[in-house]
Amino acid sequence: MTRHTLFSNTPVEIGENSGKDNYIMAIESSCDETACAIVKNGREVVANIVASQIKTHAKFGGVIPEIAAREHLDAINVVIEEAFQQSGLTGKDITAFAGTVGPGLVGCLLVGLNAAKTLALAYDKPFIGVNHLNAHLCANYIDTDLKPPFMALLVSGGHTQIIDVESYSKQTIIGETIDDAVGEAYDKVARLIGLPYPGGPKLDKMAQEGNPLAFSLPQARVDGFNFSFSGLKTAVLRLVKSFNDKDLPVADICASFQECVSSTLLNKVKKALSETNYKQVVIAGGVAANSEIRKKIFSLENEGYKVYAPPMKFCTDNAAMVAACAYFNTNTFDDINVEVFSRVK
Ligand code: KG4
Ligand code: ZN
């Protein structure tokens, strides 16, 4: 696709048909990670820097948006400098600069997006604004030869979706949660049973020591490819209340919760696959780092599907996925005046 440099308006070819090596520098700051990466031709990561704010927010048990935005301000120049250093490249070598536009925390997004715009202006390169959810899917292009079409399960802190990815730029959400996202359910249940922030990965770890069949928790019956996880959360709350604090079988509750969530996800993905002739499945988003969800979705390989999942570091928020998205997806925000947005419009 042809994009244009910001001052001289020179055309620049970006993507698989550009005929030249593309080096895209991307910045991600939608939540509590300040990240900068440089990716060559959409698949080869030449620099990947992530500054995590977990320690800061752990004190509060969750992300405090205003504090997160200020931490992004402190970290942004550092991650950009480190990415240049790690790659050995300079601004002149970069083909285009990309940044996450949304969805995310507005104050946080502003920091990274303005940095990406500024770099594009300073080096007179094209600017590419990226949707954070599309970027999560594109993490699967890194170090693989994956090409659409495929069915995707996107599971993050704010979203749970089944997406029909027909081509690099054409994707249709065919199912989503009608209440809590999977990551949100993990974090809420973790808090309920006294696990510290960030709850999802801690709950996953604890689940590995428990019996997944200890408690039978309800799989919500929702039409089509949609999901609901708020009932499950209430069921866990009821279960927790039925014990004295000191006798709480934490590992068994974690394992039973994880079993219920992962089976629900697998069933819906199977249902979606049965209605297409796709032979490829991908998972993406922070919760795609979950051990049991990965195991269950990878079990589809026994049924003849090819399954893709990003390595852990590209499941949770990072900028390499944003750069991959800027390279492959032409459905981006290329206007320098684009505004950040908190929710999918
Ligand atoms: O994609 P992400 O980094 O941020 C959003 O865009 O939301 O996802 C963060 C979510 C959090 O809810 C976190 O608890 C969850 O991903 N998460 C996990 C695991 N690792 C991260 N949930 C369950 N098991 C994990 N191993
Ligand atoms: Zn994310």
Side-chain angles (χ1 to χ4, degrees), residues 28 30-33 103 132-133 136 154-159 181-187 197-205 208 257-258 284-293 312 315-318 321:
E28 154 66 38
S30 65
C31 190
D32 57 348
E33 262 97 28
H132 182 78
L133 302 178
H136 269 301
L154 175 73
V155 274
S156 74
H159 297 84
V182 180
E184 198 180 346
Y186 261 92
D187 295 338
Y197 166 90
K202 299 246 164 49
L203 200 159
D204 183 9
K205 210 159 167 220
Q208 287 160 39
F257 169 78
Q258 183 141 296
V287 191
N290 183 270
S291 60
E292 188 57 33
I293 294 171
M312 303 300 178
C315 283
T316 44
D317 289 346
N318 66 88
M321 66 184 194

Side-chain angles (χ1 to χ4, degrees), residues 75-94:
I76 192 77
N77 286 344
V78 181
V79 296
I80 293 167
E81 251 164 56
E82 283 190 14
F84 276 130
Q85 262 172 25
Q86 200 175 70
S87 66
L89 300 174
T90 68
K92 286 193 202 126
D93 306 316
I94 301 297

Side-chain angles (χ1 to χ4, degrees), residues 293-313:
I293 294 171
R294 287 175 93 89
K295 201 163 116 195
K296 286 223 169 48
I297 302 293
F298 269 101
S299 74
L300 289 167
E301 297 216 316
N302 302 329
E303 296 178 29
Y305 294 99
K306 175 90 180 111
V307 179
Y308 291 83
M312 303 300 178
K313 65 177 174 190

